[in-house]
Amino acid sequence: ITVFQGQAVADGKNDVGLRVGYYIPNDYSSYFPLQSEQTEEYIHLDNVTIDTYIRRKINSGLDVGFDLGFAGVLDKSDQNTILNMFPISIYMLKKITKLYGLNLYAGGGLNYWYMETKTGSMEGRSGYNMKLDFSYQLFVAELVYSTTYKQNETVTDVGGWGFKVGAAFNFVYK
C-alpha cells in the first residue's frame, strides 16, 4: 500500500513547500515605545520571513491552501527579540494560465497573526490576504498583500506586502 508518492513534476493533487521572503509591514509602530527617528536601534527581521505551506487541488483550476509563517524584530543593542509574529493563512487560488510550464494563480483568503512582545504580552489580529502565485515544477514564488484588524482600533496593521520564493514537493495521497 502506497501512502504517498513523491513526484518531480506537478501532477499530484497536493503540494507542500518551504519559502523565504521579504516583507514590508503596513504599520507596527505602536509596538515600540520609541519615536520614528530612533527605529534604527532595531534590526527589522520582520523584513525576512520564513513560512511553510500545504495546498490541495480541488479540480484542475482551483486550489485551497494553508500557510504558517514566522517573522521577528530584534533589538540591536542586546540582540533580544522584541516582537515575534506568527501569521497563519487559509486561502483559495484560481489558476489563471499555464504558459511554457509556468503556472499562474490568483486568489485570497483569511489570515490570523499571533504576536508576542518582549514584555510577554500576546495578542492576535485577524484580516484578509490577496495573492499572486507562480510555480514551475519544484520552484514557487508568491506576491502577497495582507491586512489585519483589531476591533475598536485603527492603527498597527502588521499586514503588508510580501514576496516569497522557495521549493515545493508535489505528491499524490492515496
Side-chain angles (χ1 to χ4, degrees):
I1 295 176
T2 302
V3 175
F4 71 85
Q5 170 186 347
Q7 300 177 358
V9 294
D11 58 0
K13 290 190 171 219
N14 306 286
D15 290 330
V16 91
L18 182 64
R19 299 178 293 212
V20 295
Y22 185 78
Y23 199 71
I24 304 167
N26 290 330
D27 176 25
Y28 52 83
S29 58
S30 68
Y31 281 98
F32 310 112
L34 301 175
Q35 299 297 325
S36 60
E37 63 269 6
Q38 294 174 314
T39 57
E40 65 272 359
E41 295 179 21
Y42 297 111
I43 299 172
H44 297 288
L45 289 184
D46 53 346
N47 291 352
V48 177
T49 63
I50 185 167
D51 76 353
T52 186
Y53 72 93
I54 187 163
R55 270 189 9 208
R56 171 97 174 150
K57 289 176 182 28
I58 295 176
N59 60 39
S60 62
L62 191 63
D63 292 9
V64 293
F66 174 78
D67 294 355
L68 176 61
F70 172 77
V73 178
L74 292 181
D75 187 328
K76 281 185 181 177
S77 62
D78 59 9
Q79 297 295 305
N80 286 326
T81 303
I82 57 174
L83 179 64
N84 287 321
M85 297 182 287
F86 301 92
I88 300 168
S89 176
I90 298 172
Y91 54 90
M92 293 186 85
L93 293 172
K94 173 79 173 135
K95 184 187 274 188
I96 296 173
T97 188
K98 182 173 185 171
L99 182 63
Y100 301 111
L102 178 68
N103 295 303
L104 174 62
Y105 295 86
L110 302 174
N111 56 21
Y112 182 80
W113 290 67
Y114 172 77
M115 294 173 285
E116 181 180 36
T117 65
K118 184 178 183 178
T119 62
S121 66
M122 296 173 271
E123 71 174 67
R125 292 180 180 272
S126 58
Y128 67 90
N129 61 65
M130 297 175 286
K131 298 175 175 264
L132 277 178
D133 189 84
F134 308 88
S135 64
Y136 180 76
Q137 293 187 2
L138 301 178
F139 171 79
V140 292
E142 179 181 82
L143 177 65
V144 62
Y145 177 78
S146 64
T147 187
T148 61
Y149 301 99
K150 185 174 181 185
Q151 191 173 358
N152 302 323
E153 190 174 305
T154 58
V155 296
T156 314
D157 179 2
V158 294
W161 287 98
F163 179 73
K164 306 172 194 175
V165 294
F169 180 71
N170 182 267
F171 63 96
V172 176
Y173 180 75
K174 294 183 180 183

